[in-house]
Amino acid sequence: MKVGVVGLGAMGAGIAQLAVEAGLETVGREVTAELGEKARGRIDGFLKRKVEKGQIEAYDIGLLTTTTEVADLADCDVVIEAIVESLEPKQELFRELERVCRPDTVLATNTSALSVTEIASAISSAERVVGMHFFNPAPLMPLVEIVRAELSSDEAFETAYALGEKLGKHPIRCHDTPGFVVNRVLIPLLNDCVRVLDEARVSVEDLDAGMKHGAGWPMGPCELIDLVGTDVHVHASEALWAKLREPRMAAPPRLVAMANAGLLGRKTGRGFYTYES
Ligand SMILES: NC(=O)c1ccc[n+]([C@@H]2O[C@H](COP(=O)([O-])OP(=O)(O)OC[C@H]3O[C@@H](n4cnc5c(N)ncnc54)[C@H](O)[C@@H]3O)[C@@H](O)[C@H]2O)c1
């Protein structure tokens, strides 16, 4: 199986790394050759470290080529899109992919908050479009949501599911609804946690301890929001709120204020907690 990955940023590079680890021929497309080469270097570095730690025996970075040309994805069996989270550029890319790829190439999107069906509506062969929603960081998080859009064919859906397994992930099947499965549940839940900070006048540390020791969470909600980034969480909340209008989905004002103040969490060194760089 040959895999294409479009966009080698945080998610795409992780997905390309998984494909190389799985021994699959992989083509990564970026907007400049330099970005492609940088991503390839990072992937090589991560895999080298895995060998040194004894987590994998060997890998062949030669399986990964990078390109700026969409045409180089022509003979891929599956292409996974991981570019900016915006409808227009994604639809434009899918139109290009439809022009150059084989008719049986499955076109997958890693979107978190957009509708897979709406992305697919840009092309005439919408039956080959599915969602493959990986979690960040893709090489470490075991889950991938395989998302069926309105017109997805069974064949495309099952090909994506099988690829998820081949990449060493635990795939789950779902339909194209806002937030899919995990974010649909997790985002309002994390928003509840933030509201409880003010309502119950519980400290950040005690709330995290409460959810870890009372609900078995591996990490407290405030630690988790710091890891994800308050800005990313606010953006995801706003997307869900816009589509479903459930009050719990709207970002709590406290979080919006944190994001506006640059208290983004781990990536800026300050969020609910302070981090040493
Ligand atoms: N970061 C997360 O936590 C996360 C989790 C799950 C899904 N996603 C989704 O994955 C997608 C990518 O997110 P990310 O965080 O990796 O973003 P990112 O900004 O880190 O990476 C995007 C990359 O795409 C490249 N790019 C943009 N347009 C392109 C094009 N037309 N062709 C090729 N490359 C192009 C950019 O140069 C950049 O390197 C988004 O749809 C996002 O919603 C993100």
Side-chain angles (χ1 to χ4, degrees):
M1 182 182 267
K2 186 169 175 179
V3 176
V5 181
V6 186
L8 297 174
M11 294 306 292
I15 296 165
Q17 177 185 325
L18 289 167
V20 171
E21 263 186 84
L24 303 175
E25 201 183 335
T26 309
V27 184
R29 192 249 178 161
E30 254 297 344
V31 284
T32 67
E34 198 193 349
L35 281 172
E37 273 315 301
K38 271 195 183 152
R40 193 170 185 274
R42 281 200 313 275
I43 292 167
D44 195 24
F46 282 130
L47 289 173
K48 208 170 272 167
R49 237 170 293 153
K50 286 189 88 166
V51 172
E52 283 162 11
K53 287 187 191 160
Q55 293 170 340
I56 53 172
E57 267 181 34
Y59 67 95
D60 177 7
I61 195 65
L63 288 169
L64 174 64
T65 52
T66 60
T67 181
T68 56
E69 301 298 324
V70 176
D72 290 334
L73 301 163
D75 62 344
C76 288
D77 298 289
V78 180
V79 176
I80 304 171
E81 168 277 311
I83 69 168
V84 282
E85 184 73 333
S86 173
L87 184 62
E88 238 329 289
K90 286 194 195 283
Q91 287 188 328
E92 181 50 40
L93 174 67
F94 274 69
R95 280 192 280 267
E96 276 184 82
L97 289 170
E98 184 179 46
R99 275 197 297 276
V100 305
C101 292
R102 293 193 323 246
D104 64 333
T105 300
V106 173
L107 305 179
T109 173
N110 185 46
T111 184
S112 295
L114 298 171
S115 154
V116 181
T117 303
E118 212 174 336
I119 294 170
S121 72
I123 67 173
S124 55
S125 53
E127 67 282 352
R128 56 155 118 178
V129 179
V130 296
M132 285 186 81
H133 183 229
F134 291 84
F135 288 74
N136 192 16
L140 296 181
M141 295 292 281
L143 186 71
V144 58
E145 292 172 332
I146 309 297
V147 182
R148 184 189 281 277
E150 275 315 298
L151 298 177
S152 302
S153 68
D154 290 346
E155 210 180 350
F157 191 65
E158 293 308 326
T159 299
Y161 187 94
L163 175 59
E165 284 186 317
K166 211 170 267 181
L167 297 179
K169 297 290 131 185
H170 186 128
I172 61 171
R173 297 180 171 89
C174 63
H175 279 255
D176 180 29
T177 51
F180 309 135
V181 175
V182 172
N183 285 342
R184 164 72 180 78
V185 174
L186 191 58
I187 287 170
L189 191 51
L190 288 174
N191 287 342
D192 281 346
C193 289
V194 173
R195 291 190 178 98
V196 163
L197 279 176
D198 299 320
E199 286 165 16
R201 283 175 277 169
V202 59
S203 70
V204 164
E205 290 79 4
D206 279 357
L207 172 63
D208 278 357
M211 295 310 289
K212 281 193 283 192
H213 304 311
W217 286 26
M219 167 185 295
C222 299
E223 289 176 284
L224 180 55
I225 293 172
D226 271 1
L227 186 66
V228 168
T230 52
D231 55 337
V232 172
H233 182 82
V234 165
H235 184 262
S237 296
E238 282 168 353
L240 267 189
W241 160 248
K243 287 187 172 155
L244 297 173
R245 294 285 164 193
E246 286 182 25
R248 294 174 62 233
M249 291 175 172
R254 178 180 178 137
L255 265 189
V256 176
M258 285 174 71
N260 288 342
L263 303 177
L264 306 186
R266 282 185 178 270
K267 62 186 166 192
T268 55
R270 277 174 79 193
F272 287 105
Y273 295 95
T274 302
Y275 303 88
E276 304 290 329
S277 56

